[in-house]
Amino acid sequence: MSWIDTPIIEKLGEYLDLAAFRQTLIASNLANVDTPGYRTRDINFEDEMQRAEGRASSDAAPPRAFEVAGLMERPDGNNVSLDRESMLLARTQLQFRLGVELLRQEFQSLSTAIKEGS
Amino acid sequence: MNLLGVLEISGSALTAERQRAEVLASNLANAQTTQTAKGGPYQRQLVIFGTRKADSSTFASAFAGFSDRYAQGVEVKRVLPDPTPPVQRFEPAHPDADSQGYVAYPAVNPIEEMVNLMGAARSYELNVAAVQATKNMISQSFQILS
């Protein structure tokens, strides 16, 4: 960790990575809405965030995706729920935006410190 | 774990749904076709979808090191002819009528094809929404720099 990487910046980086990863899964689920036998996959955002906190930043183990249980299955074995995925899509977008805004604030205050508050 | 690869996934779905719509349109267009190059009436075609691993040869995915095992796009695996036998209609005056006066018409139900076509159009829209969302996220990430 160099002097410019504050703990908050590192954490926000993890947060944005996780949001981007979830976006990958949502896009996969939506792309396979008509694929017979496809199962919805997701991550547990809170668990992954806690897992990221406990490890060194160099150890980049990918988040664990699992098949979501308890969704209604269609006769062709596909269990993608449009409502669930659309809701998550909106939510992940907002989470990402929040992360970006906070990161921007953090960099701005660093920049203010560099310019001696002027 | 990157957003450029996510566009690839949604893009694969746009391609697959468009191909499905093309086949459905062809089924609809040929609902009354009694003469084909193979001989006999037109055979209804069925589209089979399957998952596809993210393509590592494209620029976006190679550029971003996209080797995520969770990224699954979709593709048209096969287009199969429907084995349902043709519908026999009694039309003795028709040039394609057999000795008993029956003409073999394709086993295409226009209502069923229309419903499937609407499904394909909706799925296409859905994936366009996913592309928009990902695009927004990418352009927001540029704002970190500003």
Side-chain angles (χ1 to χ4, degrees), chain A residues 21-64:
Chain A
F21 183 77
R22 194 176 220 179
Q23 181 77 0
T24 312
L25 293 181
I26 297 168
S28 292
N29 291 341
L30 287 179
N32 286 289
V33 69
D34 290 320
T35 308
Y38 181 86
R39 318 292 297 183
T40 303
R41 283 164 322 150
D42 198 6
I43 50 168
N44 187 327
F45 203 94
E46 285 76 23
D47 282 2
E48 294 298 334
M49 205 58 215
Q50 268 169 6
R51 211 161 65 88
E53 239 169 281
R55 61 150 198 255
S57 56
S58 56
D59 165 30
R64 282 166 304 195

Coordinates of all heavy atoms in Angstrom, one line a residue, chain A residues 21-64:
Chain A
F21 N -18.5 -7.8 -11.0 CA -18.6 -9.3 -11.1 C -20.1 -9.7 -11.1 O -20.5 -10.6 -11.9 CB -17.9 -10.0 -10.0 CG -17.9 -11.5 -10.1 CD1 -17.1 -12.1 -10.9 CD2 -18.8 -12.2 -9.3 CE1 -17.1 -13.5 -11.0 CE2 -18.8 -13.6 -9.4 CZ -18.0 -14.2 -10.3
R22 N -20.9 -9.1 -10.2 CA -22.3 -9.4 -10.2 C -23.0 -9.1 -11.5 O -23.8 -9.8 -12.0 CB -22.9 -8.7 -9.0 CG -24.3 -9.3 -8.7 CD -24.9 -8.6 -7.5 NE -25.6 -9.6 -6.7 CZ -26.3 -9.4 -5.6 NH1 -26.3 -8.1 -5.2 NH2 -26.9 -10.3 -5.0
Q23 N -22.5 -8.0 -12.1 CA -23.1 -7.6 -13.4 C -22.9 -8.7 -14.4 O -23.7 -8.9 -15.3 CB -22.5 -6.2 -13.8 CG -23.0 -5.7 -15.1 CD -24.3 -5.0 -15.0 OE1 -24.9 -5.0 -13.9 NE2 -24.8 -4.5 -16.1
T24 N -21.7 -9.3 -14.4 CA -21.4 -10.4 -15.3 C -22.4 -11.5 -15.1 O -22.9 -12.1 -16.1 CB -20.0 -11.0 -15.0 OG1 -19.0 -9.9 -14.9 CG2 -19.5 -11.9 -16.0
L25 N -22.7 -11.9 -13.9 CA -23.6 -13.0 -13.6 C -25.0 -12.6 -14.1 O -25.7 -13.4 -14.7 CB -23.6 -13.3 -12.1 CG -22.3 -13.9 -11.6 CD1 -22.5 -14.3 -10.1 CD2 -21.9 -15.2 -12.4
I26 N -25.4 -11.3 -13.8 CA -26.8 -10.9 -14.2 C -26.9 -10.9 -15.7 O -27.9 -11.4 -16.3 CB -27.1 -9.5 -13.7 CG1 -27.1 -9.5 -12.2 CG2 -28.4 -9.0 -14.2 CD1 -27.1 -8.1 -11.5
A27 N -25.8 -10.5 -16.4 CA -25.8 -10.5 -17.9 C -25.9 -11.9 -18.4 O -26.6 -12.2 -19.4 CB -24.6 -9.8 -18.5
S28 N -25.2 -12.8 -17.8 CA -25.2 -14.2 -18.2 C -26.7 -14.8 -18.0 O -27.2 -15.5 -18.8 CB -24.3 -15.1 -17.3 OG -23.0 -14.8 -17.6
N29 N -27.2 -14.5 -16.8 CA -28.6 -15.0 -16.5 C -29.6 -14.5 -17.6 O -30.4 -15.2 -18.0 CB -29.0 -14.6 -15.1 CG -28.3 -15.3 -14.0 OD1 -27.6 -16.3 -14.3 ND2 -28.3 -14.8 -12.8
L30 N -29.5 -13.2 -17.9 CA -30.4 -12.6 -18.8 C -30.2 -13.1 -20.3 O -31.1 -13.3 -21.0 CB -30.3 -11.0 -18.8 CG -30.9 -10.3 -17.6 CD1 -30.6 -8.8 -17.7 CD2 -32.3 -10.6 -17.5
A31 N -28.9 -13.3 -20.6 CA -28.6 -13.8 -21.9 C -29.2 -15.2 -22.1 O -29.6 -15.6 -23.2 CB -27.1 -13.9 -22.2
N32 N -29.2 -16.0 -21.0 CA -29.7 -17.4 -21.1 C -31.1 -17.6 -20.7 O -31.5 -18.6 -20.2 CB -28.8 -18.3 -20.3 CG -27.4 -18.5 -20.9 OD1 -27.3 -19.2 -21.9 ND2 -26.4 -17.8 -20.4
V33 N -31.9 -16.5 -20.9 CA -33.3 -16.6 -20.4 C -34.1 -17.6 -21.2 O -35.1 -18.2 -20.8 CB -34.0 -15.2 -20.5 CG1 -34.2 -14.7 -21.9 CG2 -35.3 -15.2 -19.7
D34 N -33.6 -18.0 -22.5 CA -34.3 -18.9 -23.3 C -33.6 -20.2 -23.5 O -33.9 -21.0 -24.4 CB -34.6 -18.3 -24.7 CG -35.7 -17.3 -24.6 OD1 -36.7 -17.5 -23.9 OD2 -35.6 -16.2 -25.3
T35 N -32.5 -20.4 -22.7 CA -31.7 -21.6 -22.8 C -32.2 -22.8 -22.0 O -32.3 -22.6 -20.8 CB -30.2 -21.4 -22.4 OG1 -29.8 -20.2 -23.1 CG2 -29.3 -22.5 -22.7
P36 N -32.6 -23.9 -22.6 CA -33.2 -25.0 -21.8 C -32.2 -25.5 -20.7 O -31.0 -25.6 -21.1 CB -33.5 -26.1 -22.8 CG -33.6 -25.4 -24.1 CD -32.6 -24.2 -24.0
G37 N -32.6 -25.7 -19.5 CA -31.7 -26.3 -18.5 C -30.8 -25.3 -17.8 O -30.0 -25.8 -16.9
Y38 N -30.8 -24.1 -18.2 CA -29.9 -23.1 -17.5 C -30.4 -22.8 -16.1 O -31.6 -22.6 -15.9 CB -29.8 -21.8 -18.4 CG -28.9 -20.8 -17.8 CD1 -27.5 -20.8 -18.1 CD2 -29.4 -19.8 -17.0 CE1 -26.7 -19.9 -17.6 CE2 -28.5 -18.8 -16.4 CZ -27.1 -18.9 -16.7 OH -26.3 -18.0 -16.2
R39 N -29.4 -22.7 -15.2 CA -29.8 -22.3 -13.8 C -29.2 -21.0 -13.4 O -28.1 -20.6 -13.8 CB -29.1 -23.4 -12.8 CG -29.2 -24.8 -13.2 CD -30.6 -25.3 -13.2 NE -31.2 -25.3 -11.9 CZ -32.4 -25.8 -11.7 NH1 -33.2 -26.3 -12.6 NH2 -32.9 -25.8 -10.4
T40 N -30.1 -20.2 -12.7 CA -29.7 -18.8 -12.3 C -28.5 -18.9 -11.3 O -28.5 -19.7 -10.4 CB -30.9 -18.2 -11.6 OG1 -32.0 -18.2 -12.5 CG2 -30.5 -16.7 -11.2
R41 N -27.5 -18.0 -11.6 CA -26.4 -18.0 -10.6 C -26.2 -16.6 -10.1 O -26.5 -15.6 -10.7 CB -25.1 -18.4 -11.4 CG -25.1 -20.0 -11.5 CD -24.1 -20.4 -12.5 NE -24.1 -19.4 -13.6 CZ -23.0 -19.2 -14.3 NH1 -21.9 -19.8 -14.1 NH2 -23.1 -18.3 -15.3
D42 N -25.7 -16.5 -8.9 CA -25.5 -15.2 -8.2 C -24.4 -15.4 -7.2 O -23.9 -16.5 -6.9 CB -26.8 -14.8 -7.5 CG -26.9 -13.4 -7.2 OD1 -25.9 -12.6 -7.6 OD2 -27.8 -12.9 -6.5
I43 N -24.0 -14.2 -6.5 CA -23.1 -14.3 -5.4 C -23.8 -13.7 -4.2 O -24.8 -13.0 -4.3 CB -21.8 -13.4 -5.7 CG1 -22.2 -12.0 -6.2 CG2 -20.9 -14.2 -6.7 CD1 -21.0 -11.1 -6.2
N44 N -23.2 -13.9 -3.0 CA -23.7 -13.3 -1.8 C -22.8 -12.1 -1.6 O -21.7 -12.2 -1.2 CB -23.6 -14.2 -0.6 CG -24.3 -13.7 0.6 OD1 -24.2 -12.4 0.8 ND2 -24.9 -14.5 1.4
F45 N -23.4 -10.9 -1.9 CA -22.6 -9.7 -1.9 C -21.9 -9.4 -0.6 O -20.7 -9.1 -0.5 CB -23.4 -8.5 -2.4 CG -22.7 -7.3 -3.0 CD1 -22.5 -7.2 -4.3 CD2 -22.1 -6.4 -2.1 CE1 -21.8 -6.2 -4.9 CE2 -21.4 -5.3 -2.7 CZ -21.2 -5.2 -4.0
E46 N -22.7 -9.5 0.5 CA -22.2 -9.1 1.8 C -21.1 -10.1 2.2 O -20.0 -9.7 2.7 CB -23.3 -9.2 2.9 CG -24.3 -8.0 2.8 CD -25.2 -8.1 1.6 OE1 -25.5 -9.2 1.1 OE2 -25.7 -7.0 1.2
D47 N -21.3 -11.4 2.0 CA -20.3 -12.4 2.4 C -19.0 -12.1 1.6 O -17.9 -12.2 2.2 CB -20.8 -13.8 2.0 CG -21.8 -14.3 3.1 OD1 -22.0 -13.5 4.0 OD2 -22.2 -15.5 2.9
E48 N -19.1 -11.8 0.3 CA -17.9 -11.6 -0.5 C -17.1 -10.4 -0.1 O -15.9 -10.4 -0.1 CB -18.3 -11.5 -2.0 CG -18.8 -12.8 -2.6 CD -17.9 -14.0 -2.6 OE1 -16.6 -13.7 -2.5 OE2 -18.3 -15.1 -2.5
M49 N -17.9 -9.4 0.3 CA -17.3 -8.1 0.8 C -16.5 -8.4 2.1 O -15.4 -7.9 2.2 CB -18.4 -7.1 1.0 CG -18.0 -5.7 0.9 SD -17.3 -5.2 -0.6 CE -16.1 -4.0 -0.1
Q50 N -17.1 -9.2 3.0 CA -16.4 -9.6 4.2 C -15.2 -10.4 3.9 O -14.1 -10.2 4.6 CB -17.3 -10.3 5.2 CG -18.1 -9.3 6.1 CD -19.2 -10.0 6.8 OE1 -19.4 -11.2 6.8 NE2 -19.9 -9.2 7.6
R51 N -15.3 -11.3 3.0 CA -14.2 -12.2 2.6 C -13.0 -11.3 2.1 O -11.8 -11.6 2.4 CB -14.6 -13.2 1.6 CG -13.9 -14.5 1.6 CD -14.7 -15.6 0.9 NE -14.8 -15.3 -0.5 CZ -13.9 -15.7 -1.4 NH1 -12.9 -16.4 -1.0 NH2 -14.0 -15.4 -2.7
A52 N -13.4 -10.3 1.3 CA -12.3 -9.5 0.7 C -11.6 -8.7 1.8 O -10.4 -8.4 1.6 CB -13.0 -8.5 -0.3
E53 N -12.3 -8.4 2.8 CA -11.7 -7.6 3.9 C -10.7 -8.4 4.7 O -9.7 -7.8 5.1 CB -12.8 -7.2 4.9 CG -13.0 -5.7 5.1 CD -14.2 -5.3 5.9 OE1 -15.3 -5.4 5.3 OE2 -14.1 -5.1 7.1
G54 N -10.9 -9.7 4.8 CA -10.0 -10.5 5.6 C -8.7 -11.0 4.9 O -7.9 -11.6 5.5
R55 N -8.6 -10.6 3.6 CA -7.4 -11.2 2.9 C -6.5 -10.0 2.3 O -7.0 -8.9 2.3 CB -7.8 -12.1 1.8 CG -8.7 -11.4 0.7 CD -8.5 -12.0 -0.6 NE -9.0 -11.1 -1.6 CZ -10.1 -11.2 -2.2 NH1 -10.9 -12.2 -2.0 NH2 -10.5 -10.3 -3.1
A56 N -5.3 -10.4 2.0 CA -4.4 -9.4 1.4 C -4.9 -9.1 0.0 O -5.5 -9.9 -0.7 CB -3.0 -10.0 1.4
S57 N -4.6 -7.8 -0.4 CA -5.1 -7.4 -1.7 C -4.5 -8.1 -2.9 O -5.0 -8.2 -4.0 CB -4.9 -5.9 -1.9 OG -3.5 -5.6 -1.7
S58 N -3.3 -8.7 -2.7 CA -2.6 -9.5 -3.7 C -3.3 -10.8 -4.0 O -3.2 -11.3 -5.1 CB -1.1 -9.7 -3.4 OG -1.0 -10.3 -2.2
D59 N -3.9 -11.3 -3.0 CA -4.6 -12.6 -3.1 C -6.0 -12.4 -3.8 O -6.9 -12.2 -3.1 CB -4.7 -13.2 -1.7 CG -5.7 -14.4 -1.7 OD1 -5.8 -15.1 -2.7 OD2 -6.4 -14.6 -0.7
A60 N -6.0 -12.6 -5.1 CA -7.2 -12.2 -5.8 C -8.0 -13.5 -6.2 O -8.1 -13.9 -7.3 CB -6.8 -11.5 -7.1
A61 N -8.5 -14.1 -5.1 CA -9.4 -15.3 -5.4 C -10.7 -14.8 -5.9 O -11.2 -13.8 -5.4 CB -9.6 -16.1 -4.1
P62 N -11.2 -15.4 -7.0 CA -12.5 -14.9 -7.5 C -13.6 -15.2 -6.6 O -13.6 -16.2 -5.8 CB -12.6 -15.8 -8.8 CG -11.8 -17.0 -8.6 CD -10.7 -16.6 -7.7
P63 N -14.7 -14.4 -6.6 CA -15.8 -14.6 -5.8 C -16.5 -15.9 -6.1 O -16.3 -16.4 -7.2 CB -16.8 -13.4 -6.2 CG -15.9 -12.4 -6.8 CD -14.8 -13.2 -7.5
R64 N -17.2 -16.5 -5.1 CA -17.8 -17.8 -5.3 C -19.2 -17.6 -5.8 O -20.1 -17.0 -5.1 CB -17.8 -18.6 -4.0 CG -16.4 -19.2 -3.8 CD -16.4 -19.7 -2.3 NE -16.7 -18.6 -1.4 CZ -16.4 -18.7 -0.1 NH1 -15.9 -19.8 0.4 NH2 -16.7 -17.7 0.7

